[in-house]
């Protein structure tokens, strides 16, 4: 087993981006700045909270409800982990983990289950593991490398056929998704923010600005700056700009029932896991007492987030059953007790979008979670707030220009 040293200073650093930290710490009084944030998911909720806490007058608008079933931030649980190819994303995950922990303490609500995350490598995962090893080493994030014998000794409930090596992050785990969205909104309201349920449409851009957003009741909300953080609804709101660059994929999630009295397949005995093989499967044991959760991370067909039925396919169920039988021997005949359909809002490179609208200087577009965005909500919200306050793009890797826009 090989262990790297955790740089505690990474988790206690003020922000991921030094420039963002300077803006948030030293900004002039912005109490008169009117900001509308559209979308109360992981990105929009944390952005609205960060702006409100810095003194802006923020209105947060959501079409259904925070963490609703059609949202990318809906459902019970999401993984939080540091294993990425890019050191920037490793640092973002570390910053977000620190902010999730801080939020738990301040709000008195458990949102993080630090049950650990186990990454199992088959031959198809070698390139990813090599890149992630370098990125995590550069960021100083603590993890352990395990060979098959060590894996078998620690987690005998896993069948290790095809597994060459594994990496284990003991400090990581899973987050409560819907509950987390609700908690952020409540913190925003306690800070004085205005939260409303309303369908929103962008108003026309005139003289390089958007003066307000229009609501479905016929009213409008004027704003100095507007942030659209609408997840899979972003391409529909800005089709000419984003329809060719943001694709929303249908993703199926399955919950299997464990045997009566079983303790080997819940979070007390098994961490969150991911299996990097011909298909990348991942799972969350226990998953807020809902069952043994697992899903195929491959991008599914395109989906309309507003109108699509959310019924799992027969092929998806059969594939999940086959995988469970192959990797977890005691669950070979486990019943399927629930299945959900959610979505990923994918950019071509998997990186997020945080940039101004090219024709409206006061409008910011925030999205492209690409299946891994929820964990990054706190850090990305912090960066988005700093960008809006400073009125400048702070992370070129999230800019629209990289997509040819």
């Amino acid at each position: 087993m090989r262990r790297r040293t955790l740089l505690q200073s990474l988790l206690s650093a003020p922000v991921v981006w030094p420039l963002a930290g300077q803006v948030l710490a030293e900004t002039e009084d912005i109490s008169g700045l009117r900001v509308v944030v559209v979308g109360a998911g992981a990105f929009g909720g944390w952005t609205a909270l960060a702006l409100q806490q810095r003194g802006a007058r923020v209105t947060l608008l959501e079409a259904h409800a925070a963490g609703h079933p059609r949202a990318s931030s809906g459902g019970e649980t999401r993984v939080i982990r540091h294993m990425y190819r890019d050191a920037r994303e490793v640092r973002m995950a570390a910053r977000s983990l620190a902010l999730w922990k801080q939020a738990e303490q301040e709000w008195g609500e458990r949102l993080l289950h630090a049950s650990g995350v186990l990454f199992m490598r088959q031959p198809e995962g070698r390139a990813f593991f090599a890149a992630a090893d370098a990125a995590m080493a550069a960021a100083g994030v603590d993890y352990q490398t395990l060979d098959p014998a060590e894996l078998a000794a620690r987690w005998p409930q896993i069948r290790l056929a095809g597994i060459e090596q594994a990496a284990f992050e003991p400090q990581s785990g899973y987050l409560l998704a819907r509950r987390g969205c609700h908690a952020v909104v409540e913190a925003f309201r306690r800070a004085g923010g205005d939260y409303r349920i309303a369908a929103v449409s962008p108003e026309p851009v005139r003289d390089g600005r958007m003066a307000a957003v229009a609501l479905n009741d016929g009213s409008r909300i004027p704003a100095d700056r507007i942030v659209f953080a609408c997840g899979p609804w972003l391409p529909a709101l800005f089709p000419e700009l984003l329809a060719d660059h943001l694709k929303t994929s249908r993703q199926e999630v399955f919950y299997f029932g464990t045997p009566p009295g079983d303790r080997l397949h819940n979070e007390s005995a098994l961490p969150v896991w991911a299996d990097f093989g011909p298909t990348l499967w991942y799972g969350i044991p226990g998953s807020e007492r809902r069952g043994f959760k697992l899903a195929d991370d491959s991008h599914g067909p395109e989906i309309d987030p507003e109108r699509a039925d959310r019924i799992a396919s027969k092929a998806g169920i059969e594939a999940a059953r086959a995988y469970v039988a192959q990797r977890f021997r005691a669950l070979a005949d486990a019943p399927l007790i629930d299945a959900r359909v959610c979505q990923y809002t994918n950019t071509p490179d998997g990186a997020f979008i945080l940039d101004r609208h090219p024709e409206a200087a006061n409008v910011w577009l925030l999205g492209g979670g690409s299946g891994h965005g929820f964990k990054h909500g706190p850090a990305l919200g912090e960066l988005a707030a700093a960008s809006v306050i400073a009125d400048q793009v702070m992370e070129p890797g999230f800019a629209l220009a990289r997509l040819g826009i």
Side-chain angles (χ1 to χ4, degrees):
M1 179 176 73
R2 177 166 55 88
R3 180 185 293 273
R4 296 196 184 278
T5 302
L6 174 66
L7 298 180
Q8 294 293 343
S9 60
L10 181 66
L11 295 183
S12 60
V15 285
V16 176
W17 289 264
L19 180 57
Q22 182 179 1
V23 169
L24 292 179
E26 301 177 5
T27 184
E28 297 179 1
D29 179 25
I30 59 167
S31 57
L33 186 70
R34 301 170 303 168
V35 183
V36 167
V37 178
V38 183
F43 291 179
W46 281 103
T47 299
L49 177 60
L51 285 164
Q52 185 68 31
Q53 289 175 332
R54 269 74 183 184
R57 294 164 50 196
V58 185
T59 301
L60 176 60
L61 302 172
E62 169 58 53
H64 297 288
H68 63 89
R70 283 180 280 192
S72 294
S73 297
E76 275 73 25
T77 54
R78 294 292 187 279
V79 178
I80 183 165
R81 44 93 179 186
H82 301 80
M83 195 168 186
Y84 279 99
R85 297 174 185 263
D86 188 335
R88 175 188 61 196
E89 293 174 318
V90 179
R91 292 192 297 269
M92 284 184 65
R95 176 59 181 162
S96 287
L97 180 62
L99 290 173
W100 280 110
K101 290 180 176 179
Q102 178 181 317
E104 283 190 319
Q105 293 177 352
E106 292 182 357
W107 304 342
E109 185 170 359
R110 188 183 185 191
L111 302 172
L112 168 68
H113 289 240
S115 55
V117 178
L118 176 67
F119 300 90
M120 298 179 285
R121 190 194 78 192
Q122 298 188 52
E124 293 83 358
R126 290 174 187 169
F128 174 84
F129 271 62
D133 179 83
M136 293 174 73
V141 171
D142 181 44
Y143 73 101
Q144 303 161 11
T145 298
L146 305 167
D147 61 30
E150 291 168 319
L151 269 175
R154 291 183 67 170
W155 296 291
Q157 59 273 62
I158 303 175
R159 183 178 287 158
L160 297 177
I163 301 298
E164 299 178 328
Q165 194 182 51
F168 180 58
E169 297 182 18
Q171 76 278 25
S172 300
Y174 70 88
L175 298 159
L176 302 186
R178 180 174 53 245
R179 189 180 300 179
C181 290
H182 294 170
V184 171
V185 168
E186 288 307 306
F188 169 74
R189 295 174 70 174
R190 288 194 299 271
D194 180 14
Y195 172 59
R196 307 185 198 179
I197 302 297
V200 177
S201 299
E203 287 203 348
V205 176
R206 294 189 176 90
D207 299 323
R209 298 181 66 81
M210 187 180 296
V213 295
L215 307 188
N216 58 309
D217 63 3
S219 65
R220 59 195 297 272
I221 301 179
D224 300 309
R225 290 169 201 170
I226 304 168
V227 181
F228 288 92
C230 311
W233 286 268
L234 265 178
L237 289 176
F238 301 98
E240 294 184 1
L241 188 67
L242 297 176
D244 292 336
H245 304 280
L246 276 178
K247 301 298 181 182
T248 303
S249 60
R250 186 181 192 273
Q251 306 297 139
E252 298 183 341
V253 180
F254 306 96
Y255 298 84
F256 287 88
T258 55
D262 173 75
R263 296 191 177 186
L264 290 177
H265 300 89
N266 62 31
E267 66 183 87
S268 66
L270 190 63
V272 175
W273 54 270
D275 185 351
F276 287 75
T279 298
L280 199 169
W281 288 89
Y282 70 92
I284 303 178
S287 192
E288 189 65 354
R289 301 175 297 278
R290 195 165 197 90
F292 190 81
K293 174 182 176 178
L294 76 156
D296 175 356
D297 192 56
S298 306
H299 293 178
E302 286 195 51
I303 186 176
D304 180 336
E306 189 67 30
R307 296 185 181 359
D309 290 334
R310 304 291 174 128
I311 306 298
S313 66
K314 181 179 179 182
I317 294 171
E318 290 176 350
R321 285 190 186 282
Y323 177 80
V324 168
Q326 183 267 332
R327 187 61 74 200
F328 298 93
R329 57 177 63 85
L331 302 182
D333 298 317
L336 179 70
I337 56 176
D338 199 1
R340 301 291 182 87
V341 174
C342 61
Q343 65 269 319
Y344 294 167
T345 308
N346 304 296
T347 59
D349 58 4
F352 309 134
I353 290 173
L354 174 55
D355 199 354
R356 284 194 190 90
H357 190 292
E359 297 176 2
N362 68 324
V363 172
W364 289 82
L365 305 176
L366 175 57
S370 301
H372 66 112
F374 188 90
K375 72 179 75 62
H376 294 296
L380 196 57
E382 195 172 53
L383 177 65
S387 301
V388 169
I389 290 169
D391 203 19
Q392 66 181 91
V393 175
M394 292 189 173
E395 175 47 63
F398 299 158
L400 293 170
R402 79 181 199 274
L403 304 177
I405 300 176

